Amino acid sequence: ARLLPPPTFQLLANTKILCTAVAAKLIMARDLAFAQWAALVVLTVGVAIGQWQGGTSDVLDASTPFIGVLLMLLNSSLSALGGVCTEKVLKSRGSAQLSIFATNVHMAGHTLLLNGGFLFLQALASGEGWPEFGAPPGRLEALALGNEALNGILISQLMRRIDSIAKNYAFSASVFVTAMLSAAVLDHRPSWNFYVGALVTLASMGLYARGGASAAV
């Protein structure tokens, strides 16, 4: 994010939608109809338009670092790969016998192990010792942490019933719902491109559902 201007970052971040579909095809052998691939492209464009905050001169010009673009595409690919692998784990036969809580503990254990090892190596290399964590979280921080925990449990429940692509649609829709709530609660007024992006996203949802129904026939 530090290497790229905000419009370029937002545009490249939305490539995760297409990367998820490719990862689902490679890992889970999920076949999509042509209309569904087209819908995912439309969804990517719609979310990018809805989040647009800059002019065309700020996107991919000669001054945009190539390494930044490459790292952002790698980040989208790894994020999509992680989402599809998580879906495969949650839908595997071994996980089917576990509760959502037990499955989340298993996955979180690997995260804590890897991040703890990274912090240890970082402290060892810098010579500054183990980092201080500061004061315990306040009410707002605790509320945010509780919300994230509840969100993780709900996503785990949903991922056993839907796929990663449908989850991306839900997240894309949540972007526009959040903006609408901020307009009602915080008196924020979205720009014209927000409404265009929302309409394009809705059209993509209809196209994807229609393509899935046609493929099922």
Side-chain angles (χ1 to χ4, degrees), residues 10 46-55 175-176 179-180 182-183 187-199:
Q10 291 171 350
V47 176
I49 293 175
Q51 295 179 335
W52 190 257
Q53 295 180 353
V175 172
F176 298 102
M180 291 177 183
S182 65
D187 199 29
H188 170 70
R189 293 293 175 264
S191 57
W192 64 269
N193 56 292
F194 166 80
Y195 298 102
V196 174
L199 290 175

Side-chain angles (χ1 to χ4, degrees), residues 31-71:
D31 292 324
L32 298 178
F34 175 79
Q36 290 178 306
W37 283 106
L40 292 174
V41 174
V42 173
L43 175 64
T44 303
V45 173
V47 176
I49 293 175
Q51 295 179 335
W52 190 257
Q53 295 180 353
T56 55
S57 60
D58 295 328
V59 190
L60 295 176
D61 55 21
S63 62
T64 302
F66 175 75
I67 186 64
V69 175
L70 192 62
L71 287 174

Side-chain angles (χ1 to χ4, degrees), residues 90 100 104 146-158:
L90 289 173
I100 289 296
N104 283 336
N147 178 70
E148 288 296 321
L150 180 60
N151 183 54
I153 294 173
L154 291 176
I155 290 177
S156 298
Q157 289 280 13
L158 287 174

Side-chain angles (χ1 to χ4, degrees), residues 78-142:
L78 292 176
S79 179
L81 183 63
V84 174
C85 288
T86 300
E87 177 190 351
K88 189 170 184 178
V89 169
L90 289 173
K91 292 180 178 178
S92 65
R93 292 182 179 179
S95 294
Q97 299 175 356
L98 297 175
S99 65
I100 289 296
F101 177 77
T103 305
N104 283 336
V105 167
H106 286 181
M107 291 191 293
H110 294 85
T111 303
L112 292 174
L113 181 62
L114 291 173
N115 282 285
F118 175 77
L119 285 175
F120 175 77
L121 293 176
Q122 186 180 44
L124 193 65
S126 63
E128 297 178 356
W130 196 260
E132 297 182 2
F133 294 98
R139 291 183 179 179
L140 290 178
E141 291 83 359

